[in-house]
Amino acid sequence: MSRRGTPHQPSQGSQLGTAAPFYPRLGDLARDTSRGGEIGVVVALPGEGRNTYHLCPPGGGDKWSAPNDGNTLRPVQPQVTHVTPQKRDVTYDARARQGGLPITVHYDDGGTAESLLVLDPSQLELYHYQVGRILAMRDKALGGKL
C-alpha cells in the first residue's frame, strides 16, 4: 500500500493540505482541538435530528459532541511502526558529504511510503560499526554457521 497520490483518509478527498477541510466519516479517528486534542472515534454525523458530530474515546467511554462544521476536528495521522531498507543501491553525494539508503517507512494503518535515510560521515561510520556488531551477534547465535 503506497501513500503517494492517495489521500490520508478517504473523507479528505484529494486536497491534502492546510486549506483542505476535514469532514470525518463514521468510524474515522479525529482529534478535537476544543478538547485539548483528545482523539475520538466518530460515532454519529450531523443530520437526521443531530446538529453535531458525536465522538467517543477509541477504547470506549463518555461520548462528546463537536460542531457540525467540523472546524474543531482534525485528522489523526498514522504512526510509524518501523523502517526497512529497500533492496536498491545506496548513493553517496560527494559535494554534500552524505550517504543515502533507500528505505520503506511502515505505518500502523498498514500504509507504507518510500523515503531516503540520509547519513553524514560520522553516522555512516557509526552504522558501519553497529551493523558489524549485528552480524557478529547473528554469527554467535548461529554457532558460527551461516
Side-chain angles (χ1 to χ4, degrees):
M1 184 171 178
S2 176
R3 296 200 169 287
R4 289 180 285 160
T6 60
H8 167 67
Q9 292 186 350
S11 57
Q12 283 184 283
S14 61
Q15 311 171 340
L16 269 183
T18 56
F22 175 58
Y23 300 110
R25 298 188 309 183
L26 284 177
D28 280 354
L29 286 178
R31 183 176 309 277
D32 192 345
T33 59
S34 70
R35 293 179 57 98
E38 186 173 354
I39 294 175
V41 178
V42 177
V43 295
L45 301 173
E48 297 182 24
R50 284 181 302 280
N51 196 25
T52 59
Y53 285 95
H54 293 263
L55 298 95
C56 73
D62 294 334
K63 295 178 183 175
W64 75 90
S65 298
N68 64 358
D69 62 2
N71 67 352
T72 65
L73 301 178
R74 303 290 181 269
V76 175
Q77 300 299 320
Q79 299 298 305
V80 173
T81 59
H82 62 286
V83 175
T84 55
Q86 294 177 4
K87 294 181 181 178
R88 294 183 23 213
D89 204 6
V90 297
T91 59
Y92 183 75
D93 183 341
R95 285 182 359 150
R97 296 184 180 174
Q98 296 175 333
L101 175 67
I103 59 171
T104 300
V105 181
H106 301 266
Y107 297 93
D108 62 359
D109 66 357
T112 61
E114 292 183 3
S115 192
L116 185 68
L117 176 61
V118 178
L119 303 164
D120 66 30
S122 63
Q123 292 167 325
L124 287 168
E125 290 179 18
L126 174 65
Y127 294 132
H128 172 75
Y129 169 74
Q130 289 178 332
V131 169
R133 287 188 54 219
I134 291 171
L135 292 172
M137 287 187 268
R138 179 200 63 184
D139 290 347
K140 183 178 178 182
L142 295 174
K145 301 173 188 170
L146 294 177

